[in-house]
Amino acid sequence: VVLVGNLIGEDHINYVLMYNMLTGIRIGVSRCQAKVKRPLTDEDFAARHKFSFDIVGNELTPSAKYDFKFKDYAPWVFRELREDYFHLDPADYLLSLTAKYILSELGSPGKSGSFFYFSRDYRFIIKTIHHSEHKFLLSILKDYHHHVKNNPHTLLSRFYGLHRVKLPRGRKIHFVIMNNLFPPHRDVHETFDLKGSTVGREYPEAKAATNPRAVLKDLNWINRGKMLELGPEKRALLTEQLRRDAEFLRKIYVMDYSLLIGIHKMERGNRDNVRRNTLKVFSPDIPMTRRATAVAKGGTSPEAIAMRRAMRESNLERLGHGRGALRLPEEDTGDRRDFLFYQDEGGLRATDEANDPLDKIYYLGVIDILTPYSTMKKLEHFWKGLSADRHKISPVEPGEYSDRFFSFMKAIMRGGGGGERFKAE
Ligand code: ATP
Ligand code: CA
Ligand code: CA
């Protein structure tokens, strides 16, 4: 799969921000990574590591192109999450996120105003988040860690890191790094974002006909009579995990999350190249500390290995394919095989009632899980409730949201377009 994108230059409005985010990650994450692993303490959940970058540089931080500050939140906690529960290879992680030719930007940000960037190998997403979401994630980090530890197959967003960049004039940008549910090596032919709410949850079908990248919603799913084709075995496993995850979301008192489902149709394969020409490629010169460069030359630490690979690859890229071209793997790299719901080509293969495989792969997970039921959301509940069924609108109290979400997901798995009974009267 070759992706062709536009190279983001220094004149791009988000160039400086991206440069700072990646420089911060490289220095911050590799600093923590270079230390010997130890068990977590309570203090680790409240820890913040600060870095100050400027164009001069110093002993600890290399000189950077711009002045900015970087904060790494609970680095040891995220390191444990990445390595012990999400089974990420430390060298791979650093390399993917900060090698040259890195980020692509989604066409337009979500309603919330968040920006999404994909790592160059399409495995990771950087999402800028609102300060309230940032504070919220920190406040539930312990519960999240606990849930992930006890649910190795959780469908919840995998958070790999939480960071902040502060620009000279004081603007603060918070962001998380998380898993891309969609695989690098397979086209996703249909995408659904399902909440279990049926008021206003429809992407115009007329527009969908000409846009293969449309993110469809609950009513599209119902009206198209879709179902998740899973045999009894996978259905039972998925239902149980969704039950536990929904229970957790109820407990931390959030709402507005959704089940994101990407469908790959095997008979169509990759020939449509759905992702082509949608990317913007970013290729910054991320600085390295003098020590890091020295380490990279001979060291055996994950940091050093990652950096050597990054240097090698960026050299290859300069020689090889043209500007802005990204080559993604054609085959499953196997990096998700530890996870029950991501082990068939990075996803979940559809099965029939005899548990035999069908020609479809689902890529699914629960996303956007950082919205607590705030005063704003209560007001939204009130206003939307005036003109529509109070129980079918998207903002409802987290207990009700969780029940409705789980019922909907159970219903769409039962087959025959089970979502029917959720249809607005
Ligand atoms: P809003 O609050 O308005 O829903 P948001 O900015 O919080 O928007 P999300 O709901 O997190 O954004 O995501 C928006 C879209 O981005 C999703 O519908 C999905 O298409 C894509 N997306 C988000 N997270 C992932 C992920 N982990 N993997 C793949 N795609 C994702
Ligand atoms: Ca959302
Ligand atoms: Ca959101």
Side-chain angles (χ1 to χ4, degrees):
V1 187
V2 179
L3 302 174
V4 185
N6 311 314
L7 200 69
I8 290 184
E10 295 196 35
D11 53 339
H12 187 275
I13 52 159
N14 286 332
Y15 182 89
V16 175
L17 175 60
M18 290 162 88
Y19 175 92
N20 294 351
M21 291 197 296
L22 298 179
T23 302
I25 293 169
R26 165 165 281 175
I27 305 305
V29 175
S30 62
R31 181 85 25 98
C32 175
Q33 212 84 258
K35 294 182 185 143
V36 178
K37 197 126 162 256
R38 55 163 178 78
L40 289 184
T41 65
D42 268 357
E43 288 77 62
D44 288 327
F45 287 87
R48 286 136 179 65
H49 292 184
K50 284 186 185 175
F51 302 88
S52 202
F53 291 88
D54 58 48
I55 49 177
V56 181
N58 60 46
E59 206 45 45
L60 289 173
T61 50
S63 67
K65 267 199 213 163
Y66 311 98
D67 290 349
F68 69 98
K69 291 192 165 61
F70 182 83
K71 234 174 173 178
D72 192 1
Y73 293 85
W76 286 92
V77 176
F78 285 104
R79 179 180 177 184
E80 181 170 304
L81 284 169
R82 289 195 303 272
E83 293 179 11
D84 294 1
Y85 310 128
F86 298 141
H87 304 291
L88 281 186
D89 176 69
D92 251 22
Y93 180 67
L94 261 184
L95 171 65
S96 299
L97 279 174
T98 65
K100 285 185 185 176
Y101 273 96
I102 315 175
L103 297 175
S104 46
E105 190 183 321
L106 260 190
S108 60
K111 244 194 321 200
S112 67
S114 287
F115 280 89
F116 291 79
Y117 303 97
F118 294 100
S119 66
R120 48 159 274 152
D121 57 7
Y122 213 60
R123 286 167 62 201
F124 305 112
I125 294 179
I126 294 180
K127 179 185 180 185
T128 63
I129 55 175
H130 194 267
H131 187 207
S132 60
E133 292 176 289
H134 168 98
K135 279 193 296 194
F136 182 73
L137 176 53
L138 280 178
S139 76
I140 57 136
L141 191 55
K142 223 174 204 161
D143 299 325
Y144 176 78
H145 177 269
H146 182 80
H147 182 76
V148 167
K149 188 173 176 177
N150 292 298
N151 290 272
H153 302 293
T154 181
L155 294 153
L156 299 183
S157 279
R158 293 157 196 259
F159 295 121
Y160 300 140
L162 176 65
H163 311 285
R164 187 189 85 182
V165 161
K166 192 162 132 199
L167 301 172
R169 262 168 298 159
R171 200 171 138 228
K172 296 170 185 161
I173 290 110
H174 301 91
F175 59 100
V176 283
I177 300 166
M178 60 185 187
N179 61 320
N180 183 1
L181 281 167
F182 298 164
H185 66 296
R186 288 281 173 265
D187 273 359
V188 167
H189 298 112
E190 267 182 323
T191 308
F192 289 90
D193 180 295
L194 305 176
K195 292 184 172 177
S197 151
T198 47
V199 174
R201 296 283 301 158
E202 183 164 30
Y203 184 95
E205 284 290 349
K207 261 168 77 189
T210 57
N211 179 9
R213 295 174 52 83
V215 180
L216 306 166
K217 299 183 182 172
D218 305 64
L219 287 172
N220 304 91
W221 180 281
I222 294 168
N223 296 336
R224 291 180 178 201
K226 305 221 39 116
M227 57 171 173
L228 268 184
E229 294 171 70
L230 296 172
E233 214 168 83
K234 287 187 175 175
R235 202 157 60 213
L237 290 167
L238 187 65
T239 306
E240 176 55 15
Q241 191 56 58
L242 277 171
R243 189 188 64 76
R244 293 190 197 186
D245 290 340
E247 196 48 47
F248 171 77
L249 295 169
R250 167 207 298 270
K251 217 181 69 200
I252 62 169
Y253 215 61
V254 290
M255 30 81 68
D256 249 8
Y257 46 87
S258 35
L259 184 74
L260 184 67
I261 305 180
I263 304 174
H264 171 77
K265 297 171 183 168
M266 292 165 81
E267 78 275 9
R268 268 169 76 183
N270 284 339
R271 72 184 128 86
D272 305 352
N273 257 309
V274 175
R275 289 188 297 255
R276 191 185 284 277
N277 289 329
T278 59
L279 300 174
K280 289 191 183 127
V281 180
F282 177 58
S283 170
D285 247 316
I286 305 290
M288 292 188 204
T289 53
R290 224 171 311 142
R291 186 184 147 270
T293 316
V295 168
K297 289 207 171 111
T300 52
S301 68
E303 178 194 15
I305 294 167
M307 283 188 181
R308 273 204 299 277
R309 216 147 69 198
M311 292 195 244
R312 209 162 49 230
E313 292 210 358
S314 63
N315 282 337
L316 279 180
E317 256 153 14
R318 261 199 298 275
L319 299 169
H321 9 116
R323 283 164 64 86
L326 280 177
R327 188 173 293 278
L328 292 179
E330 300 288 342
E331 301 297 328
D332 179 22
T333 51
D335 60 315
R336 303 188 191 187
R337 70 182 158 254
D338 294 322
F339 305 107
L340 196 51
F341 303 111
Y342 305 111
Q343 57 182 269
D344 312 325
E345 297 278 332
L348 184 65
R349 177 108 181 234
T351 46
D352 63 16
E353 284 306 306
N355 299 317
D356 287 326
L358 296 170
D359 278 350
K360 226 174 250 165
I361 301 170
Y362 298 117
Y363 295 94
L364 44 83
V366 181
I367 60 160
D368 207 8
I369 63 170
L370 299 177
T371 313
Y373 196 47
S374 60
T375 311
M376 269 296 281
K377 287 292 167 188
K378 284 174 198 162
L379 276 173
E380 207 182 310
H381 172 76
F382 176 77
W383 287 113
K384 286 195 175 162
L386 291 179
S387 55
D389 186 329
R390 227 162 246 300
H391 301 288
K392 290 179 179 157
I393 53 178
S394 133
V396 292
E397 184 275 326
E400 184 174 349
Y401 195 97
S402 167
D403 286 342
R404 187 180 67 183
F405 180 81
F406 183 54
S407 309
F408 188 84
M409 300 318 154
K410 269 194 306 194
I412 67 170
M413 274 190 266
R414 260 200 297 274
E420 278 299 339
R421 65 191 183 83
F422 281 84
K423 204 164 183 167
E425 273 90 47

